Amino acid sequence: MWREATIRRATFVFVLLGLGALAVVARLFQLQVVEHGYWSELAKEIQEEVIELPARRGTIYDRNGLPLARDVPAYDIALDNYHMTKPEVLVMLLQRILGLPEKEAVKVVYREGYFTWVRRRVPREVAEELRRAADEAGVRGLMFFETWTRGYPQGICGLDILGVVGVDGVGLEGLEYRFDPLLRGKSPVRLRLVRGRDGTVLEYWEESPGEPGQDLRLTLDARIQAICAEKLDEGVKRFKARRGFAVVMDPWTGEILALAQSPRFDPEKPDPALLHPWAITDPFEPGSTFKALVGVAALDLGLVEPDEVFNGNSPIFVDGVPIRNAMNHQFGPSTFARGITQSINTVLVQVALRLGVERLWEYLRRFGIGEPTGVELPGESPGTLRPPEEWTRVDLATASFGQGVSVNGLQLARAFCAIAADGLLPRPHILKGGGEERRRVASADACMTMREMLRQAVELPGATGRYANVPGFEVAGKSGTAQKALPEGGYSQTKVMGAMAAFFPWRHPEYVVLVVYDEPSVWPNWGGSTAGPTVRWIIEEMYHQGLISPSVPPTE
């Protein structure tokens, strides 16, 4: 009896142990075979970490193949906070070499974690200096990952157009933003980090090299861009202007050769507002430069002849409202041509009244006023051209000398391209290979007649554009001065926009140059006296650098 009970107990224990062993074997089979993939991946996640870094960004070139913006070698610097040594020394190094403020350096160093970004896209020489200093001081825990940062071989000239790139490799403004998907590439660089049991980074390697971005070729000429920027700097200082811009275009193709401004963006003293080229973002009233557009419309319709005589005295009354010449000057009987060359408001008012609202509005629209140019830059303003049914006869009269209508600088430059190119309006573009579609604005004869008058507006001694004249280059153009509109209504009596729109040589123009100053404060502050000389400086410097040649031999 006792023996049978013992056998039963032994059998029970044996079976229990067998079942336990079987359960262990089954569990091992589940872990090592059935769930091997799951636990293997979990182990990798615990011991390994993937970091993505931007691939090399595409280079932006000017029309001649000069690099304007390109990636140069740099480092992303990180810190293993749990395994670093000498934190006090590291804080001082980050301040001295990387320029981190003390509070930021302390926050980075004393943060809890195995991985903290210290600074992204650090220039290679700066990162190497930090590495050497850390090694010499016995500081451990810093990690250096090879990457790229944006470099500018031609300096800061044109940054307001190019834009900037953030620390994550994404374009933030300008062309860098507009073409970010193209420049950034399709896939990032992938690095895999392996950590020890205590979290220390043992090694890392490049798991995927990523796919570099594509390059861009622009219509800009870096040499002309630099000339415009330099002369604008001089002009803003000399004429005590708030700011200025210059546009240089090929009138036949619409290619933008320069789009410069002053002051301009400087990475050493970053001002985000200067990353927007105000030649396209900030509309302004064009002043008397508009007289050339009104004149082309009247010539094209056969409503006026260059030698037709008008009353040039001031004021002229339109529906009881007096409209005056600048300084209320009395010109007496004046031909239409003289109205252009000496910028007589009252003459152009009479021409505009002859045109009428509907026809003048239609021609302004043909010139591209009131519609975006479609240039490949973000933030373009369409300007203001109210519907014709909202115009009065007084609006018609003031529009004849560029008040009550607003444009951006590229629109105004394009309109003068049409006059220069026998009445064909191009589509401005800054990307090489962009469309060169053109539409007809007016007849070639009307534009040739206007070009001849605009040549006189620069060539004749008393003409308003005479300061833009460059002997041998046959410059033609129209100056303009517009009182600035006030937010509360009306116009400022002291603040103006001064402009000079020009092209050369006048018979068969190759270049259109537009210069505009915002609030020049010297006297006289006319467009012809401020923007006019700047146009001349730009042309003269283009000649001195061998970029252009005189169309006729200069006379002594």
Side-chain angles (χ1 to χ4, degrees), residues 165-474:
V165 177
V167 295
D168 55 357
V170 176
L172 300 180
E173 298 285 352
L175 292 169
E176 298 277 19
Y177 168 79
R178 172 68 175 77
F179 294 100
D180 184 65
L182 185 69
L183 289 164
R184 187 165 24 133
K186 295 182 179 179
S187 62
V189 176
R190 289 171 57 90
L191 301 179
R192 186 168 292 274
L193 278 64
V194 178
R195 300 183 182 276
R197 293 180 62 183
D198 62 353
T200 305
V201 176
L202 301 176
E203 62 176 329
Y204 67 88
W205 66 89
E206 185 177 88
E207 188 175 74
S208 171
E211 183 176 341
Q214 297 183 41
D215 299 335
L216 288 183
R217 177 68 68 91
L218 306 183
T219 62
L220 290 179
D221 188 312
R223 301 164 300 178
I224 300 177
Q225 179 78 15
I227 289 169
C228 289
E230 177 188 346
K231 299 310 175 184
L232 284 171
D233 287 346
E234 294 178 14
V236 166
K237 183 177 180 180
R238 177 178 297 193
F239 305 122
K240 298 180 181 179
R242 176 170 169 248
R243 55 183 180 171
F245 75 75
V247 180
V248 181
M249 292 181 65
D250 181 325
W252 300 95
T253 66
E255 291 185 331
I256 300 171
L257 306 177
L259 182 59
Q261 65 185 32
S262 178
R264 55 188 183 275
F265 183 81
D266 185 347
E268 299 298 323
K269 301 175 182 178
D271 181 353
L274 297 179
L275 280 173
H276 303 283
W278 69 278
I280 68 167
T281 61
D282 297 8
F284 58 93
E285 296 192 0
S288 291
T289 58
F290 240 41
K291 290 172 180 172
L293 280 60
V294 176
V296 167
L299 289 168
D300 195 48
L301 292 172
L303 299 178
V304 67
E305 294 293 334
D307 57 357
E308 185 175 351
V309 178
F310 294 84
N311 177 15
N313 286 331
S314 177
I316 186 172
F317 288 86
V318 178
D319 292 346
V321 177
I323 298 177
R324 296 177 170 83
N325 292 322
M327 309 295 292
N328 202 33
H329 195 86
Q330 307 300 318
F331 289 94
S334 302
T335 64
F336 173 57
R338 187 186 181 202
I340 293 292
T341 60
Q342 294 192 289
S343 202
I344 305 173
N345 289 350
T346 53
V347 170
L348 270 295
V349 167
Q350 294 168 74
V351 173
L353 291 174
R354 191 176 292 182
L355 272 165
V357 171
E358 293 288 345
R359 289 191 292 196
L360 178 57
W361 189 93
E362 172 61 28
Y363 269 88
L364 293 180
R365 197 66 170 180
R366 288 190 193 182
F367 274 110
I369 308 303
E371 64 180 20
T373 67
V375 67
E376 310 94 328
L377 285 167
E380 183 181 11
S381 169
T384 304
L385 181 66
R386 292 180 291 115
E389 57 268 20
E390 297 181 10
W391 286 35
T392 65
R393 278 169 49 85
V394 173
D395 294 328
L396 172 64
T398 58
S400 71
F401 50 87
Q403 300 268 200
V405 177
S406 70
V407 299
N408 72 49
L410 203 55
Q411 287 174 327
L412 188 57
R414 176 173 69 161
F416 273 79
C417 283
I419 298 173
D422 290 337
L424 294 173
L425 186 77
R427 183 179 71 81
H429 58 283
I430 202 165
L431 197 65
K432 195 67 175 174
E436 296 180 1
E437 59 211 52
R438 300 185 293 173
R439 70 171 186 250
R440 180 157 293 284
V441 171
S443 68
D445 288 344
C447 291
M448 174 60 85
T449 301
M450 177 54 63
R451 291 207 299 274
E452 187 170 5
M453 289 190 287
L454 293 180
R455 171 58 181 151
Q456 295 172 358
V458 171
E459 184 182 31
L460 296 180
T464 57
R466 62 189 179 278
Y467 295 115
N469 197 32
V470 184
F473 287 89
E474 298 189 304

Side-chain angles (χ1 to χ4, degrees), residues 34-264:
V34 178
E35 298 179 358
H36 170 77
Y38 168 79
W39 292 107
S40 176
E41 289 301 317
L42 182 60
K44 286 183 178 180
E45 290 179 11
I46 294 172
Q47 299 174 20
E48 299 180 7
E49 182 179 352
V50 173
I51 296 176
E52 291 188 348
L53 302 175
R56 184 168 187 172
R57 198 170 176 85
T59 299
I60 302 177
Y61 296 95
D62 87 334
R63 65 186 300 109
N64 301 309
L66 286 174
L68 302 176
R70 66 181 177 192
D71 273 5
V72 295
Y75 284 96
D76 284 345
I77 303 175
L79 178 63
D80 183 345
N81 303 72
Y82 284 154
H83 300 92
M84 69 175 168
T85 59
K86 301 185 178 181
E88 298 86 356
V89 176
L90 182 55
V91 167
M92 290 189 294
L93 292 178
L94 296 183
Q95 292 180 76
R96 178 171 63 84
I97 298 176
L98 296 188
L100 268 64
E102 182 179 3
K103 288 184 178 180
E104 183 180 344
V106 169
K107 182 179 180 181
V108 166
V109 170
Y110 288 98
R111 177 183 178 274
E112 293 186 1
Y114 288 112
F115 190 93
T116 301
W117 285 118
V118 176
R119 179 64 63 87
R120 308 287 299 276
R121 295 177 172 254
V122 177
R124 184 167 55 179
E125 60 276 10
V126 176
E128 292 293 354
E129 181 184 355
L130 178 61
R131 192 203 299 266
R132 287 193 301 269
D135 289 343
E136 292 171 0
V139 174
R140 300 289 180 267
L142 286 171
M143 293 176 279
F144 297 81
F145 303 99
E146 292 183 355
T147 186
W148 307 93
T149 191
R150 217 59 169 152
Y152 305 98
Q154 312 307 319
I156 66 172
C157 188
L159 274 184
D160 39 86
I161 303 170
L162 300 174
V164 293
V165 177
V167 295
D168 55 357
V170 176
L172 300 180
E173 298 285 352
L175 292 169
E176 298 277 19
Y177 168 79
R178 172 68 175 77
F179 294 100
D180 184 65
L182 185 69
L183 289 164
R184 187 165 24 133
K186 295 182 179 179
S187 62
V189 176
R190 289 171 57 90
L191 301 179
R192 186 168 292 274
L193 278 64
V194 178
R195 300 183 182 276
R197 293 180 62 183
D198 62 353
T200 305
V201 176
L202 301 176
E203 62 176 329
Y204 67 88
W205 66 89
E206 185 177 88
E207 188 175 74
S208 171
E211 183 176 341
Q214 297 183 41
D215 299 335
L216 288 183
R217 177 68 68 91
L218 306 183
T219 62
L220 290 179
D221 188 312
R223 301 164 300 178
I224 300 177
Q225 179 78 15
I227 289 169
C228 289
E230 177 188 346
K231 299 310 175 184
L232 284 171
D233 287 346
E234 294 178 14
V236 166
K237 183 177 180 180
R238 177 178 297 193
F239 305 122
K240 298 180 181 179
R242 176 170 169 248
R243 55 183 180 171
F245 75 75
V247 180
V248 181
M249 292 181 65
D250 181 325
W252 300 95
T253 66
E255 291 185 331
I256 300 171
L257 306 177
L259 182 59
Q261 65 185 32
S262 178
R264 55 188 183 275

Side-chain angles (χ1 to χ4, degrees), residues 479-500:
S479 63
T481 309
Q483 294 173 299
K484 292 188 69 172
L486 298 172
E488 62 272 18
Y491 288 89
S492 170
Q493 297 303 306
T494 58
K495 297 178 180 180
V496 301
M497 302 291 293
M500 183 73 201

Side-chain angles (χ1 to χ4, degrees), residues 490-542:
Y491 288 89
S492 170
Q493 297 303 306
T494 58
K495 297 178 180 180
V496 301
M497 302 291 293
M500 183 73 201
F503 44 80
F504 66 95
W506 74 268
R507 290 182 180 84
H508 302 287
E510 298 175 13
Y511 298 91
V512 166
V513 183
L514 171 68
V515 173
V516 176
Y517 285 115
D518 186 359
E519 298 182 18
S521 57
V522 298
W523 182 257
N525 60 355
W526 312 113
S529 304
T530 57
T534 310
V535 168
R536 185 182 77 246
W537 301 339
I538 290 171
I539 296 172
E540 288 174 340
E541 187 61 27
M542 289 173 65

